[in-house]
Amino acid sequence: MYRTLLVNTILVYGLSLTFAAQATNHVNLYSARKEVLIRPLLNEFTAQTGVTVNIVTGKADILLKRLIREGRNSPADILLTTDAGRLHRAKQAQVLQSVESNTLKNEIPAHYRDPDGTWYGLSLRARVIMYAKDRIKPNMLSSYEDLQHKRWHKRICVRSSSNIYNQSLVASIIAANGTEKAKLWANGFVGNLVRTPAGGDRDQIKAVAVGLCDLAIVNTYYLGGMLQADKRQQRAAQQIAVFWPNQSNRGAHVNISGAGVTKSARNKDNAIKLLEFLTSDSAQEWYAKTNHEFPIKEGVTISNTLKAWGEFKADTLSLSKLGELNPAAVRLMDYAGWR
């Protein structure tokens, strides 16, 4: 126990010294985004402001655990992560602080940021129904709720219930329909799965492409990434189409990648500057084209890939509810046997 604490202390202290040595006018970022995806954007921020961005990347859950473990000794000024559910966990763990910024409030719609200002959405991701073009007609589809019906028996693929994206989707269904109706939906949906959930979102797309299933629940940017990847992934992705569910009522389920200023931040002003920069039109456009996510605000130019999927109505549920309802969603998924 003592040895573990000592090693952790040395790591944090060493990381602090490394960050400090790199620049006097700087900001330290813990990012669940790979550096190769975000570094050009961070370099542009440095060019405009003179503020150097030091970055540590890692898996989202591991970074949050690290930030919690480090506490007030953490060198991190910003936590950049994926899914409102994770941002809610960070808020509950009290590792983020509330910040006031007129720019962030004006640029980011209220339902895409924490009411208390501890986190802000920076890009929009949609979790939708994807289907095999050769076996399914779009007029056969309508809503997430419809996927509980027996006509989809053994025709659906999805990743596991431990995935935060699925937990947030179920939380949105609870918010829309109440717990009892959501339970009925989950029971029917799980009964329609063709296999025990396995793999990531790209694996669900591949499973549809090879005919293992006809439908899958997937975040759209995975399809965008596959369309730009090697020829094998392109061939699979080209067999798949996007369907926007619930367009006649609440709209398609959306989530965010987002960020918050850490409670330990020693460079708070620079941290806020970086968040504000990431909401600028140029940053939003660049990131959407690079990672195939949607801009957090309207009026920003999107790529031809995103345009090809068509316009859609998004659910305007406050994303803070996804975190609040996460425990209920996990219990419901366990109850339904969603493995």
Side-chain angles (χ1 to χ4, degrees):
M1 178 70 172
Y2 173 77
R3 181 179 179 182
T4 300
L5 289 173
L6 178 61
V7 169
N8 288 340
T9 301
I10 292 170
L11 286 174
V12 172
Y13 180 68
L15 185 58
S16 299
L17 288 179
T18 300
F19 275 158
Q22 287 181 2
T24 55
N25 186 22
H26 65 277
V27 62
N28 300 327
L29 174 66
Y30 278 9
S31 174
R33 291 299 199 191
K34 294 179 180 178
E35 185 167 2
V36 68
L37 291 176
I38 198 172
R39 175 51 73 182
L41 203 53
L42 301 180
N43 289 344
E44 179 60 27
F45 170 73
T46 299
Q48 291 186 22
T49 65
V51 177
T52 298
V53 183
N54 307 315
I55 185 170
V56 169
T57 61
K59 296 288 186 180
D61 292 334
I62 293 175
L63 283 178
L64 177 54
K65 289 177 182 177
R66 176 175 180 168
L67 189 58
I68 292 170
R69 183 180 69 245
E70 291 170 345
R72 292 187 178 276
N73 293 320
S74 177
D77 299 308
I78 297 178
L79 174 66
L80 173 63
T81 192
T82 55
D83 200 279
R86 287 194 178 101
L87 289 161
H88 180 79
R89 290 175 187 173
K91 178 182 178 181
Q92 293 298 102
Q94 299 183 357
V95 294
L96 301 179
Q97 62 174 292
S98 177
V99 299
E100 289 290 331
S101 164
N102 288 332
T103 298
L104 295 177
K105 285 185 177 180
N106 291 335
E107 297 291 343
I108 302 172
H111 49 286
Y112 297 146
R113 50 184 164 85
D114 176 50
D116 298 322
T118 61
W119 53 261
Y120 294 86
L122 298 174
S123 63
L124 199 62
R125 46 208 5 230
R127 191 157 189 78
V128 301
I129 299 171
M130 294 193 185
Y131 63 93
K133 293 177 182 178
D134 63 341
R135 301 189 298 279
I136 300 293
K137 301 298 182 185
N139 61 10
M140 298 167 64
L141 302 166
S142 61
S143 65
Y144 300 106
E145 286 81 358
D146 177 66
L147 299 181
Q148 69 184 296
H149 293 302
K150 291 183 178 180
R151 61 178 164 273
W152 301 117
H153 184 62
K154 301 299 181 184
R155 301 180 75 181
I156 301 174
C157 288
V158 74
R159 66 196 295 178
S160 81
S161 62
S162 63
N163 175 250
I164 189 72
Y165 307 153
N166 284 335
Q167 293 171 9
S168 290
L169 172 62
V170 174
S172 76
I173 292 173
I174 293 173
N177 302 310
T179 301
E180 292 308 312
K181 288 184 177 179
K183 281 183 179 179
L184 292 174
W185 171 82
N187 287 337
F189 177 78
V190 170
N192 288 337
L193 299 182
V194 72
R195 65 176 180 183
T196 301
D201 276 16
R202 289 178 186 244
D203 296 303
Q204 314 314 314
I205 293 172
K206 293 173 184 176
V208 175
V210 299
L212 178 62
C213 43
D214 294 330
L215 307 175
I217 301 291
V218 179
N219 283 358
T220 53
Y221 60 86
Y222 285 104
L223 183 65
M226 291 178 70
L227 288 168
Q228 304 295 322
D230 58 75
K231 290 184 178 179
R232 186 176 180 180
Q233 292 191 63
Q234 287 181 31
R235 284 194 295 269
Q238 287 164 358
Q239 299 177 57
I240 309 302
V242 171
F243 182 82
W244 300 105
N246 297 80
Q247 295 302 283
S248 64
N249 45 64
R250 68 182 182 275
H253 170 65
V254 293
N255 209 311
I256 54 170
S257 64
V261 178
T262 67
K263 190 165 284 188
S264 62
R266 296 169 179 79
N267 303 287
K268 181 178 178 179
D269 290 344
N270 286 342
I272 295 173
K273 283 181 184 178
L274 179 55
L275 294 186
E276 291 175 344
F277 167 79
L278 293 173
T279 66
S280 66
D281 286 1
S282 60
Q284 289 275 298
E285 181 178 341
W286 183 91
Y287 197 71
K289 289 181 177 179
T290 300
N291 206 46
H292 311 292
E293 295 187 24
F294 293 90
I296 202 71
K297 58 184 184 178
E298 296 182 358
V300 176
T301 302
I302 60 175
S303 68
N304 289 333
T305 299
L306 301 189
K307 288 177 183 177
W309 297 333
E311 295 184 359
F312 68 99
K313 175 184 176 183
D315 192 348
T316 57
L317 174 72
S318 174
L319 296 191
S320 61
K321 294 295 291 183
L322 303 182
E324 293 169 14
L325 290 171
N326 180 271
V330 172
R331 288 194 299 270
L332 189 152
M333 296 166 88
D334 287 346
Y335 172 81
W338 187 331
R339 303 303 177 198

